[in-house]
Amino acid sequence: MSKALLAQGADVREALTLTGAPVGDAVEAEDGTVTQQFANGLLYAKDGRYAFFPSTDAEGLEAALQKVSAAADAIAAVVIDEETTLESFKTAVGAAETACGEVPETARTLIDNYANLAVFSKAVTDIEAANTLITNLPEADTIDKVEEAQKVRESLEAAEAAVTALDETYKGLLPAASLEKLEAVRAAVNTQLEEILISEVETAIAAAANITGETTLDSLKTAVAAAQEAYNKLGSDLQ
């Protein structure tokens, strides 16, 4: 085995378990790139990073590296600006996922911004999940009784929590109609449950203020957080 290839590091040596038997000698280029043909494909190593391209030889390396470059470009093209919508964001992320799918899993270490794709993909999942929770809420004008408000309260709070958990950048990708519905449903629930909600806030504040000899810093923090959460749920119309 070529000393130049082994010098690329432990990761390269570990990868050799996937490659099959070497074919010929490793080739080291002037820029430090080392390539080695194996029975199962071509190993490419540079600066301590390696990539294995299955069913590839030296003649196919350039095309394989072009796919790596295309994948990196597709990820870089996922941007959020004033004109970005949830659909356009999903389309861009989908294109990046497709481009990365063209690169063998054993070669994706060469995609410098590959970690960003996981962030974008999770954002799509989280945004869609929050939007679905809002969509599943009843229309505000149907919440005209205390009983109806009580039924929707748990699902409303779940939707609000999902929206709050979103990064501000991604929160802006929620459809305006969904945010308007969420606000309208909260207002309708507050109208029906005003006395109950205010009572819950008062109870939570009293609990936080009830400091005794057994109160610890952690228990006080928990009580204050509970009071703040209860207050936040009131919405601006009741605060």
Side-chain angles (χ1 to χ4, degrees), residues 5 8 11-12 15-16 19 27 29 31-38 41-54 56 58 61-62 64-65 68 106-107 109-110:
L5 183 62
Q8 289 291 327
D11 287 343
V12 172
L16 299 182
T19 61
V27 178
D31 64 357
T33 298
V34 178
T35 56
Q36 170 71 59
Q37 188 68 54
F38 286 84
L42 186 72
L43 188 69
Y44 173 97
K46 185 178 181 182
D47 299 330
R49 292 195 300 172
Y50 73 89
F52 182 64
F53 295 96
T56 302
L61 178 60
E62 183 176 353
L65 292 177
V68 171
T106 51
T109 53
L110 298 181

PDB file of all heavy atoms in Angstrom, residues 5 8 11-12 15-16 19 27 29 31-38 41-54 56 58 61-62 64-65 68 106-107 109-110:
ATOM      1  N   LEU A   5      -0.663   7.317   0.563  1.00  0.00           N
ATOM      2  CA  LEU A   5      -2.082   7.100   0.834  1.00  0.00           C
ATOM      3  C   LEU A   5      -2.310   6.908   2.329  1.00  0.00           C
ATOM      4  O   LEU A   5      -3.198   7.514   2.920  1.00  0.00           O
ATOM      5  CB  LEU A   5      -2.576   5.877   0.070  1.00  0.00           C
ATOM      6  CG  LEU A   5      -4.073   5.568   0.208  1.00  0.00           C
ATOM      7  CD1 LEU A   5      -4.906   6.705  -0.330  1.00  0.00           C
ATOM      8  CD2 LEU A   5      -4.412   4.278  -0.509  1.00  0.00           C
ATOM      9  N   GLN A   8      -2.452   9.907   4.711  1.00  0.00           N
ATOM     10  CA  GLN A   8      -3.612  10.787   4.741  1.00  0.00           C
ATOM     11  C   GLN A   8      -4.385  10.670   6.055  1.00  0.00           C
ATOM     12  O   GLN A   8      -5.177  11.521   6.386  1.00  0.00           O
ATOM     13  CB  GLN A   8      -4.545  10.481   3.565  1.00  0.00           C
ATOM     14  CG  GLN A   8      -3.984  10.905   2.218  1.00  0.00           C
ATOM     15  CD  GLN A   8      -3.925  12.418   2.071  1.00  0.00           C
ATOM     16  OE1 GLN A   8      -4.765  13.119   2.600  1.00  0.00           O
ATOM     17  NE2 GLN A   8      -2.940  12.901   1.347  1.00  0.00           N
ATOM     18  N   ASP A  11      -8.691   7.950   9.071  1.00  0.00           N
ATOM     19  CA  ASP A  11      -9.964   7.830   8.374  1.00  0.00           C
ATOM     20  C   ASP A  11      -9.800   7.111   7.044  1.00  0.00           C
ATOM     21  O   ASP A  11     -10.660   6.339   6.621  1.00  0.00           O
ATOM     22  CB  ASP A  11     -10.574   9.213   8.134  1.00  0.00           C
ATOM     23  CG  ASP A  11     -11.117   9.823   9.416  1.00  0.00           C
ATOM     24  OD1 ASP A  11     -11.300   9.067  10.380  1.00  0.00           O
ATOM     25  OD2 ASP A  11     -11.335  11.043   9.449  1.00  0.00           O
ATOM     26  N   VAL A  12      -8.702   7.408   6.360  1.00  0.00           N
ATOM     27  CA  VAL A  12      -8.444   6.749   5.085  1.00  0.00           C
ATOM     28  C   VAL A  12      -8.228   5.260   5.301  1.00  0.00           C
ATOM     29  O   VAL A  12      -8.770   4.419   4.591  1.00  0.00           O
ATOM     30  CB  VAL A  12      -7.230   7.371   4.373  1.00  0.00           C
ATOM     31  CG1 VAL A  12      -6.846   6.549   3.156  1.00  0.00           C
ATOM     32  CG2 VAL A  12      -7.549   8.797   3.948  1.00  0.00           C
ATOM     33  N   ALA A  15     -11.350   3.514   5.786  1.00  0.00           N
ATOM     34  CA  ALA A  15     -12.138   3.410   4.559  1.00  0.00           C
ATOM     35  C   ALA A  15     -11.700   2.229   3.697  1.00  0.00           C
ATOM     36  O   ALA A  15     -12.481   1.743   2.871  1.00  0.00           O
ATOM     37  CB  ALA A  15     -12.012   4.698   3.752  1.00  0.00           C
ATOM     38  N   LEU A  16     -10.488   1.794   3.901  1.00  0.00           N
ATOM     39  CA  LEU A  16      -9.970   0.708   3.068  1.00  0.00           C
ATOM     40  C   LEU A  16     -10.780  -0.574   3.241  1.00  0.00           C
ATOM     41  O   LEU A  16     -10.741  -1.453   2.387  1.00  0.00           O
ATOM     42  CB  LEU A  16      -8.494   0.443   3.393  1.00  0.00           C
ATOM     43  CG  LEU A  16      -7.549   1.632   3.152  1.00  0.00           C
ATOM     44  CD1 LEU A  16      -6.116   1.239   3.460  1.00  0.00           C
ATOM     45  CD2 LEU A  16      -7.663   2.149   1.730  1.00  0.00           C
ATOM     46  N   THR A  19     -13.271  -0.710   0.278  1.00  0.00           N
ATOM     47  CA  THR A  19     -12.829  -0.515  -1.101  1.00  0.00           C
ATOM     48  C   THR A  19     -12.499  -1.787  -1.863  1.00  0.00           C
ATOM     49  O   THR A  19     -12.486  -1.784  -3.089  1.00  0.00           O
ATOM     50  CB  THR A  19     -11.576   0.379  -1.116  1.00  0.00           C
ATOM     51  OG1 THR A  19     -10.534  -0.279  -0.374  1.00  0.00           O
ATOM     52  CG2 THR A  19     -11.871   1.729  -0.501  1.00  0.00           C
ATOM     53  N   VAL A  27      -1.543   7.285  -6.835  1.00  0.00           N
ATOM     54  CA  VAL A  27      -0.983   8.390  -7.617  1.00  0.00           C
ATOM     55  C   VAL A  27      -1.106   9.664  -6.797  1.00  0.00           C
ATOM     56  O   VAL A  27      -2.200  10.025  -6.347  1.00  0.00           O
ATOM     57  CB  VAL A  27      -1.735   8.555  -8.949  1.00  0.00           C
ATOM     58  CG1 VAL A  27      -1.176   9.747  -9.725  1.00  0.00           C
ATOM     59  CG2 VAL A  27      -1.643   7.282  -9.772  1.00  0.00           C
ATOM     60  N   ALA A  29      -0.657  13.711  -6.746  1.00  0.00           N
ATOM     61  CA  ALA A  29      -0.540  14.888  -7.605  1.00  0.00           C
ATOM     62  C   ALA A  29       0.268  15.975  -6.899  1.00  0.00           C
ATOM     63  O   ALA A  29       0.537  15.897  -5.693  1.00  0.00           O
ATOM     64  CB  ALA A  29      -1.925  15.412  -7.952  1.00  0.00           C
ATOM     65  N   ASP A  31      -0.602  18.874  -6.034  1.00  0.00           N
ATOM     66  CA  ASP A  31      -1.358  19.601  -5.004  1.00  0.00           C
ATOM     67  C   ASP A  31      -1.614  18.761  -3.761  1.00  0.00           C
ATOM     68  O   ASP A  31      -2.324  19.179  -2.849  1.00  0.00           O
ATOM     69  CB  ASP A  31      -2.693  20.101  -5.566  1.00  0.00           C
ATOM     70  CG  ASP A  31      -3.618  18.960  -5.981  1.00  0.00           C
ATOM     71  OD1 ASP A  31      -3.208  17.789  -5.879  1.00  0.00           O
ATOM     72  OD2 ASP A  31      -4.752  19.248  -6.408  1.00  0.00           O
ATOM     73  N   GLY A  32      -1.031  17.578  -3.692  1.00  0.00           N
ATOM     74  CA  GLY A  32      -1.174  16.731  -2.521  1.00  0.00           C
ATOM     75  C   GLY A  32      -2.310  15.734  -2.609  1.00  0.00           C
ATOM     76  O   GLY A  32      -2.485  14.909  -1.711  1.00  0.00           O
ATOM     77  N   THR A  33      -3.092  15.798  -3.682  1.00  0.00           N
ATOM     78  CA  THR A  33      -4.186  14.850  -3.857  1.00  0.00           C
ATOM     79  C   THR A  33      -3.620  13.454  -4.121  1.00  0.00           C
ATOM     80  O   THR A  33      -2.685  13.285  -4.896  1.00  0.00           O
ATOM     81  CB  THR A  33      -5.071  15.255  -5.043  1.00  0.00           C
ATOM     82  OG1 THR A  33      -5.644  16.528  -4.775  1.00  0.00           O
ATOM     83  CG2 THR A  33      -6.190  14.244  -5.255  1.00  0.00           C
ATOM     84  N   VAL A  34      -4.205  12.475  -3.462  1.00  0.00           N
ATOM     85  CA  VAL A  34      -3.797  11.087  -3.654  1.00  0.00           C
ATOM     86  C   VAL A  34      -5.002  10.296  -4.131  1.00  0.00           C
ATOM     87  O   VAL A  34      -6.085  10.375  -3.546  1.00  0.00           O
ATOM     88  CB  VAL A  34      -3.252  10.466  -2.349  1.00  0.00           C
ATOM     89  CG1 VAL A  34      -2.883   9.001  -2.569  1.00  0.00           C
ATOM     90  CG2 VAL A  34      -2.056  11.257  -1.838  1.00  0.00           C
ATOM     91  N   THR A  35      -4.821   9.567  -5.209  1.00  0.00           N
ATOM     92  CA  THR A  35      -5.887   8.690  -5.691  1.00  0.00           C
ATOM     93  C   THR A  35      -5.349   7.273  -5.772  1.00  0.00           C
ATOM     94  O   THR A  35      -4.179   7.054  -6.086  1.00  0.00           O
ATOM     95  CB  THR A  35      -6.396   9.125  -7.078  1.00  0.00           C
ATOM     96  OG1 THR A  35      -5.302   9.175  -7.996  1.00  0.00           O
ATOM     97  CG2 THR A  35      -7.068  10.483  -7.012  1.00  0.00           C
ATOM     98  N   GLN A  36      -6.224   6.336  -5.469  1.00  0.00           N
ATOM     99  CA  GLN A  36      -5.857   4.927  -5.518  1.00  0.00           C
ATOM    100  C   GLN A  36      -7.025   4.145  -6.094  1.00  0.00           C
ATOM    101  O   GLN A  36      -8.153   4.240  -5.600  1.00  0.00           O
ATOM    102  CB  GLN A  36      -5.516   4.409  -4.125  1.00  0.00           C
ATOM    103  CG  GLN A  36      -5.358   2.901  -4.029  1.00  0.00           C
ATOM    104  CD  GLN A  36      -4.094   2.389  -4.709  1.00  0.00           C
ATOM    105  OE1 GLN A  36      -3.000   2.793  -4.346  1.00  0.00           O
ATOM    106  NE2 GLN A  36      -4.250   1.522  -5.685  1.00  0.00           N
ATOM    107  N   GLN A  37      -6.732   3.409  -7.143  1.00  0.00           N
ATOM    108  CA  GLN A  37      -7.767   2.559  -7.713  1.00  0.00           C
ATOM    109  C   GLN A  37      -7.893   1.287  -6.877  1.00  0.00           C
ATOM    110  O   GLN A  37      -6.908   0.704  -6.443  1.00  0.00           O
ATOM    111  CB  GLN A  37      -7.405   2.191  -9.157  1.00  0.00           C
ATOM    112  CG  GLN A  37      -8.511   1.463  -9.894  1.00  0.00           C
ATOM    113  CD  GLN A  37      -9.705   2.362 -10.154  1.00  0.00           C
ATOM    114  OE1 GLN A  37      -9.552   3.431 -10.722  1.00  0.00           O
ATOM    115  NE2 GLN A  37     -10.883   1.938  -9.733  1.00  0.00           N
ATOM    116  N   PHE A  38      -9.143   0.911  -6.627  1.00  0.00           N
ATOM    117  CA  PHE A  38      -9.432  -0.326  -5.900  1.00  0.00           C
ATOM    118  C   PHE A  38     -10.401  -1.159  -6.722  1.00  0.00           C
ATOM    119  O   PHE A  38     -10.993  -0.681  -7.699  1.00  0.00           O
ATOM    120  CB  PHE A  38     -10.041  -0.013  -4.521  1.00  0.00           C
ATOM    121  CG  PHE A  38      -9.048   0.499  -3.525  1.00  0.00           C
ATOM    122  CD1 PHE A  38      -8.721   1.848  -3.489  1.00  0.00           C
ATOM    123  CD2 PHE A  38      -8.437  -0.361  -2.634  1.00  0.00           C
ATOM    124  CE1 PHE A  38      -7.804   2.321  -2.574  1.00  0.00           C
ATOM    125  CE2 PHE A  38      -7.517   0.102  -1.709  1.00  0.00           C
ATOM    126  CZ  PHE A  38      -7.189   1.446  -1.684  1.00  0.00           C
ATOM    127  N   GLY A  41     -13.802   0.602  -6.659  1.00  0.00           N
ATOM    128  CA  GLY A  41     -13.947   2.002  -7.032  1.00  0.00           C
ATOM    129  C   GLY A  41     -12.667   2.763  -6.813  1.00  0.00           C
ATOM    130  O   GLY A  41     -11.577   2.181  -6.715  1.00  0.00           O
ATOM    131  N   LEU A  42     -12.791   4.084  -6.709  1.00  0.00           N
ATOM    132  CA  LEU A  42     -11.614   4.953  -6.613  1.00  0.00           C
ATOM    133  C   LEU A  42     -11.632   5.706  -5.291  1.00  0.00           C
ATOM    134  O   LEU A  42     -12.645   6.299  -4.907  1.00  0.00           O
ATOM    135  CB  LEU A  42     -11.620   5.960  -7.767  1.00  0.00           C
ATOM    136  CG  LEU A  42     -10.377   6.844  -7.896  1.00  0.00           C
ATOM    137  CD1 LEU A  42      -9.192   6.020  -8.410  1.00  0.00           C
ATOM    138  CD2 LEU A  42     -10.645   8.013  -8.838  1.00  0.00           C
ATOM    139  N   LEU A  43     -10.508   5.691  -4.587  1.00  0.00           N
ATOM    140  CA  LEU A  43     -10.361   6.443  -3.345  1.00  0.00           C
ATOM    141  C   LEU A  43      -9.637   7.740  -3.650  1.00  0.00           C
ATOM    142  O   LEU A  43      -8.601   7.758  -4.298  1.00  0.00           O
ATOM    143  CB  LEU A  43      -9.571   5.629  -2.318  1.00  0.00           C
ATOM    144  CG  LEU A  43      -9.527   6.236  -0.907  1.00  0.00           C
ATOM    145  CD1 LEU A  43     -10.894   6.165  -0.267  1.00  0.00           C
ATOM    146  CD2 LEU A  43      -8.512   5.503  -0.041  1.00  0.00           C
ATOM    147  N   TYR A  44     -10.218   8.824  -3.157  1.00  0.00           N
ATOM    148  CA  TYR A  44      -9.671  10.169  -3.373  1.00  0.00           C
ATOM    149  C   TYR A  44      -9.380  10.754  -2.009  1.00  0.00           C
ATOM    150  O   TYR A  44     -10.251  10.755  -1.129  1.00  0.00           O
ATOM    151  CB  TYR A  44     -10.706  11.008  -4.113  1.00  0.00           C
ATOM    152  CG  TYR A  44     -10.391  12.478  -4.276  1.00  0.00           C
ATOM    153  CD1 TYR A  44      -9.831  12.967  -5.449  1.00  0.00           C
ATOM    154  CD2 TYR A  44     -10.696  13.399  -3.264  1.00  0.00           C
ATOM    155  CE1 TYR A  44      -9.571  14.323  -5.614  1.00  0.00           C
ATOM    156  CE2 TYR A  44     -10.439  14.746  -3.423  1.00  0.00           C
ATOM    157  CZ  TYR A  44      -9.872  15.206  -4.593  1.00  0.00           C
ATOM    158  OH  TYR A  44      -9.616  16.554  -4.760  1.00  0.00           O
ATOM    159  N   ALA A  45      -8.171  11.230  -1.780  1.00  0.00           N
ATOM    160  CA  ALA A  45      -7.803  11.765  -0.478  1.00  0.00           C
ATOM    161  C   ALA A  45      -6.982  13.036  -0.641  1.00  0.00           C
ATOM    162  O   ALA A  45      -6.124  13.139  -1.515  1.00  0.00           O
ATOM    163  CB  ALA A  45      -7.011  10.731   0.313  1.00  0.00           C
ATOM    164  N   LYS A  46      -7.299  14.016   0.233  1.00  0.00           N
ATOM    165  CA  LYS A  46      -6.552  15.271   0.207  1.00  0.00           C
ATOM    166  C   LYS A  46      -6.748  15.987   1.536  1.00  0.00           C
ATOM    167  O   LYS A  46      -7.865  16.071   2.045  1.00  0.00           O
ATOM    168  CB  LYS A  46      -7.017  16.175  -0.941  1.00  0.00           C
ATOM    169  CG  LYS A  46      -6.184  17.447  -1.081  1.00  0.00           C
ATOM    170  CD  LYS A  46      -6.657  18.293  -2.258  1.00  0.00           C
ATOM    171  CE  LYS A  46      -5.795  19.540  -2.388  1.00  0.00           C
ATOM    172  NZ  LYS A  46      -6.260  20.416  -3.507  1.00  0.00           N
ATOM    173  N   ASP A  47      -5.661  16.486   2.083  1.00  0.00           N
ATOM    174  CA  ASP A  47      -5.702  17.284   3.315  1.00  0.00           C
ATOM    175  C   ASP A  47      -6.431  16.568   4.451  1.00  0.00           C
ATOM    176  O   ASP A  47      -7.182  17.180   5.214  1.00  0.00           O
ATOM    177  CB  ASP A  47      -6.366  18.641   3.056  1.00  0.00           C
ATOM    178  CG  ASP A  47      -5.607  19.468   2.025  1.00  0.00           C
ATOM    179  OD1 ASP A  47      -4.375  19.309   1.944  1.00  0.00           O
ATOM    180  OD2 ASP A  47      -6.251  20.253   1.303  1.00  0.00           O
ATOM    181  N   GLY A  48      -6.234  15.252   4.558  1.00  0.00           N
ATOM    182  CA  GLY A  48      -6.842  14.513   5.650  1.00  0.00           C
ATOM    183  C   GLY A  48      -8.289  14.128   5.428  1.00  0.00           C
ATOM    184  O   GLY A  48      -8.903  13.497   6.286  1.00  0.00           O
ATOM    185  N   ARG A  49      -8.855  14.509   4.299  1.00  0.00           N
ATOM    186  CA  ARG A  49     -10.230  14.114   3.985  1.00  0.00           C
ATOM    187  C   ARG A  49     -10.193  13.113   2.838  1.00  0.00           C
ATOM    188  O   ARG A  49      -9.335  13.192   1.965  1.00  0.00           O
ATOM    189  CB  ARG A  49     -11.069  15.325   3.577  1.00  0.00           C
ATOM    190  CG  ARG A  49     -11.324  16.300   4.706  1.00  0.00           C
ATOM    191  CD  ARG A  49     -12.442  17.261   4.346  1.00  0.00           C
ATOM    192  NE  ARG A  49     -12.144  18.034   3.161  1.00  0.00           N
ATOM    193  CZ  ARG A  49     -13.026  18.834   2.565  1.00  0.00           C
ATOM    194  NH1 ARG A  49     -14.256  18.924   3.030  1.00  0.00           N
ATOM    195  NH2 ARG A  49     -12.682  19.525   1.500  1.00  0.00           N
ATOM    196  N   TYR A  50     -11.128  12.187   2.886  1.00  0.00           N
ATOM    197  CA  TYR A  50     -11.156  11.184   1.839  1.00  0.00           C
ATOM    198  C   TYR A  50     -12.566  11.035   1.301  1.00  0.00           C
ATOM    199  O   TYR A  50     -13.556  11.408   1.935  1.00  0.00           O
ATOM    200  CB  TYR A  50     -10.657   9.833   2.359  1.00  0.00           C
ATOM    201  CG  TYR A  50     -11.650   9.140   3.272  1.00  0.00           C
ATOM    202  CD1 TYR A  50     -12.629   8.290   2.755  1.00  0.00           C
ATOM    203  CD2 TYR A  50     -11.607   9.354   4.649  1.00  0.00           C
ATOM    204  CE1 TYR A  50     -13.546   7.673   3.585  1.00  0.00           C
ATOM    205  CE2 TYR A  50     -12.529   8.736   5.487  1.00  0.00           C
ATOM    206  CZ  TYR A  50     -13.490   7.898   4.941  1.00  0.00           C
ATOM    207  OH  TYR A  50     -14.401   7.301   5.762  1.00  0.00           O
ATOM    208  N   ALA A  51     -12.638  10.503   0.112  1.00  0.00           N
ATOM    209  CA  ALA A  51     -13.932  10.173  -0.490  1.00  0.00           C
ATOM    210  C   ALA A  51     -13.729   8.926  -1.318  1.00  0.00           C
ATOM    211  O   ALA A  51     -12.721   8.781  -2.023  1.00  0.00           O
ATOM    212  CB  ALA A  51     -14.419  11.320  -1.369  1.00  0.00           C
ATOM    213  N   PHE A  52     -14.686   8.030  -1.230  1.00  0.00           N
ATOM    214  CA  PHE A  52     -14.631   6.824  -2.032  1.00  0.00           C
ATOM    215  C   PHE A  52     -15.759   6.879  -3.051  1.00  0.00           C
ATOM    216  O   PHE A  52     -16.926   7.051  -2.698  1.00  0.00           O
ATOM    217  CB  PHE A  52     -14.767   5.573  -1.166  1.00  0.00           C
ATOM    218  CG  PHE A  52     -14.661   4.298  -1.950  1.00  0.00           C
ATOM    219  CD1 PHE A  52     -13.481   3.959  -2.605  1.00  0.00           C
ATOM    220  CD2 PHE A  52     -15.750   3.434  -2.060  1.00  0.00           C
ATOM    221  CE1 PHE A  52     -13.370   2.797  -3.329  1.00  0.00           C
ATOM    222  CE2 PHE A  52     -15.652   2.263  -2.793  1.00  0.00           C
ATOM    223  CZ  PHE A  52     -14.458   1.937  -3.437  1.00  0.00           C
ATOM    224  N   PHE A  53     -15.390   6.768  -4.312  1.00  0.00           N
ATOM    225  CA  PHE A  53     -16.362   6.789  -5.400  1.00  0.00           C
ATOM    226  C   PHE A  53     -16.526   5.371  -5.942  1.00  0.00           C
ATOM    227  O   PHE A  53     -15.683   4.880  -6.690  1.00  0.00           O
ATOM    228  CB  PHE A  53     -15.896   7.723  -6.518  1.00  0.00           C
ATOM    229  CG  PHE A  53     -15.816   9.165  -6.105  1.00  0.00           C
ATOM    230  CD1 PHE A  53     -14.617   9.723  -5.680  1.00  0.00           C
ATOM    231  CD2 PHE A  53     -16.948   9.969  -6.146  1.00  0.00           C
ATOM    232  CE1 PHE A  53     -14.536  11.049  -5.298  1.00  0.00           C
ATOM    233  CE2 PHE A  53     -16.882  11.298  -5.768  1.00  0.00           C
ATOM    234  CZ  PHE A  53     -15.677  11.844  -5.347  1.00  0.00           C
ATOM    235  N   PRO A  54     -17.605   4.693  -5.544  1.00  0.00           N
ATOM    236  CA  PRO A  54     -17.813   3.312  -6.016  1.00  0.00           C
ATOM    237  C   PRO A  54     -17.934   3.261  -7.539  1.00  0.00           C
ATOM    238  O   PRO A  54     -18.448   4.192  -8.173  1.00  0.00           O
ATOM    239  CB  PRO A  54     -19.132   2.911  -5.352  1.00  0.00           C
ATOM    240  CG  PRO A  54     -19.269   3.837  -4.184  1.00  0.00           C
ATOM    241  CD  PRO A  54     -18.656   5.126  -4.640  1.00  0.00           C
ATOM    242  N   THR A  56     -15.968   3.701  -9.918  1.00  0.00           N
ATOM    243  CA  THR A  56     -15.367   4.839 -10.612  1.00  0.00           C
ATOM    244  C   THR A  56     -13.885   4.574 -10.814  1.00  0.00           C
ATOM    245  O   THR A  56     -13.233   3.959  -9.972  1.00  0.00           O
ATOM    246  CB  THR A  56     -15.555   6.136  -9.795  1.00  0.00           C
ATOM    247  OG1 THR A  56     -16.940   6.355  -9.571  1.00  0.00           O
ATOM    248  CG2 THR A  56     -14.968   7.348 -10.518  1.00  0.00           C
ATOM    249  N   ALA A  58     -10.091   6.488 -12.673  1.00  0.00           N
ATOM    250  CA  ALA A  58      -9.460   7.799 -12.800  1.00  0.00           C
ATOM    251  C   ALA A  58     -10.134   8.645 -13.874  1.00  0.00           C
ATOM    252  O   ALA A  58     -10.249   9.870 -13.740  1.00  0.00           O
ATOM    253  CB  ALA A  58      -7.969   7.617 -13.103  1.00  0.00           C
ATOM    254  N   LEU A  61     -13.208  10.380 -12.499  1.00  0.00           N
ATOM    255  CA  LEU A  61     -13.061  11.187 -11.289  1.00  0.00           C
ATOM    256  C   LEU A  61     -13.530  12.620 -11.501  1.00  0.00           C
ATOM    257  O   LEU A  61     -14.212  13.192 -10.651  1.00  0.00           O
ATOM    258  CB  LEU A  61     -11.605  11.171 -10.816  1.00  0.00           C
ATOM    259  CG  LEU A  61     -11.311  12.019  -9.577  1.00  0.00           C
ATOM    260  CD1 LEU A  61     -12.136  11.523  -8.393  1.00  0.00           C
ATOM    261  CD2 LEU A  61      -9.823  11.979  -9.239  1.00  0.00           C
ATOM    262  N   GLU A  62     -13.186  13.212 -12.624  1.00  0.00           N
ATOM    263  CA  GLU A  62     -13.557  14.607 -12.863  1.00  0.00           C
ATOM    264  C   GLU A  62     -15.074  14.791 -12.826  1.00  0.00           C
ATOM    265  O   GLU A  62     -15.595  15.726 -12.210  1.00  0.00           O
ATOM    266  CB  GLU A  62     -13.011  15.085 -14.201  1.00  0.00           C
ATOM    267  CG  GLU A  62     -13.319  16.564 -14.468  1.00  0.00           C
ATOM    268  CD  GLU A  62     -12.700  17.071 -15.760  1.00  0.00           C
ATOM    269  OE1 GLU A  62     -11.920  16.329 -16.391  1.00  0.00           O
ATOM    270  OE2 GLU A  62     -12.995  18.221 -16.139  1.00  0.00           O
ATOM    271  N   ALA A  64     -17.166  12.896 -11.293  1.00  0.00           N
ATOM    272  CA  ALA A  64     -17.606  12.670  -9.920  1.00  0.00           C
ATOM    273  C   ALA A  64     -17.388  13.915  -9.069  1.00  0.00           C
ATOM    274  O   ALA A  64     -18.254  14.291  -8.269  1.00  0.00           O
ATOM    275  CB  ALA A  64     -16.853  11.482  -9.321  1.00  0.00           C
ATOM    276  N   LEU A  65     -16.257  14.585  -9.251  1.00  0.00           N
ATOM    277  CA  LEU A  65     -15.969  15.795  -8.486  1.00  0.00           C
ATOM    278  C   LEU A  65     -16.876  16.939  -8.922  1.00  0.00           C
ATOM    279  O   LEU A  65     -17.194  17.837  -8.122  1.00  0.00           O
ATOM    280  CB  LEU A  65     -14.503  16.186  -8.644  1.00  0.00           C
ATOM    281  CG  LEU A  65     -13.493  15.231  -7.994  1.00  0.00           C
ATOM    282  CD1 LEU A  65     -12.064  15.676  -8.282  1.00  0.00           C
ATOM    283  CD2 LEU A  65     -13.732  15.137  -6.480  1.00  0.00           C
ATOM    284  N   VAL A  68     -19.898  16.716  -6.881  1.00  0.00           N
ATOM    285  CA  VAL A  68     -19.635  17.254  -5.544  1.00  0.00           C
ATOM    286  C   VAL A  68     -19.781  18.767  -5.571  1.00  0.00           C
ATOM    287  O   VAL A  68     -20.430  19.375  -4.708  1.00  0.00           O
ATOM    288  CB  VAL A  68     -18.223  16.863  -5.058  1.00  0.00           C
ATOM    289  CG1 VAL A  68     -17.873  17.618  -3.776  1.00  0.00           C
ATOM    290  CG2 VAL A  68     -18.135  15.363  -4.829  1.00  0.00           C
ATOM    291  N   THR A 106     -20.312   7.902   0.589  1.00  0.00           N
ATOM    292  CA  THR A 106     -18.915   7.800   1.005  1.00  0.00           C
ATOM    293  C   THR A 106     -18.056   8.936   0.459  1.00  0.00           C
ATOM    294  O   THR A 106     -16.857   8.988   0.727  1.00  0.00           O
ATOM    295  CB  THR A 106     -18.320   6.462   0.529  1.00  0.00           C
ATOM    296  OG1 THR A 106     -18.588   6.303  -0.871  1.00  0.00           O
ATOM    297  CG2 THR A 106     -18.912   5.308   1.307  1.00  0.00           C
ATOM    298  N   ALA A 107     -18.674   9.850  -0.296  1.00  0.00           N
ATOM    299  CA  ALA A 107     -17.914  10.972  -0.859  1.00  0.00           C
ATOM    300  C   ALA A 107     -18.460  12.322  -0.401  1.00  0.00           C
ATOM    301  O   ALA A 107     -17.938  13.361  -0.781  1.00  0.00           O
ATOM    302  CB  ALA A 107     -17.930  10.915  -2.391  1.00  0.00           C
ATOM    303  N   THR A 109     -18.214  13.802   2.302  1.00  0.00           N
ATOM    304  CA  THR A 109     -17.303  14.569   3.149  1.00  0.00           C
ATOM    305  C   THR A 109     -16.636  15.690   2.365  1.00  0.00           C
ATOM    306  O   THR A 109     -16.115  16.632   2.953  1.00  0.00           O
ATOM    307  CB  THR A 109     -16.210  13.657   3.732  1.00  0.00           C
ATOM    308  OG1 THR A 109     -15.580  12.940   2.664  1.00  0.00           O
ATOM    309  CG2 THR A 109     -16.796  12.667   4.720  1.00  0.00           C
ATOM    310  N   LEU A 110     -16.656  15.589   1.046  1.00  0.00           N
ATOM    311  CA  LEU A 110     -16.032  16.616   0.210  1.00  0.00           C
ATOM    312  C   LEU A 110     -16.956  17.812  -0.012  1.00  0.00           C
ATOM    313  O   LEU A 110     -16.514  18.852  -0.518  1.00  0.00           O
ATOM    314  CB  LEU A 110     -15.651  16.024  -1.161  1.00  0.00           C
ATOM    315  CG  LEU A 110     -14.634  14.886  -1.152  1.00  0.00           C
ATOM    316  CD1 LEU A 110     -14.352  14.434  -2.574  1.00  0.00           C
ATOM    317  CD2 LEU A 110     -13.341  15.321  -0.467  1.00  0.00           C
TER     318      LEU A 110
END
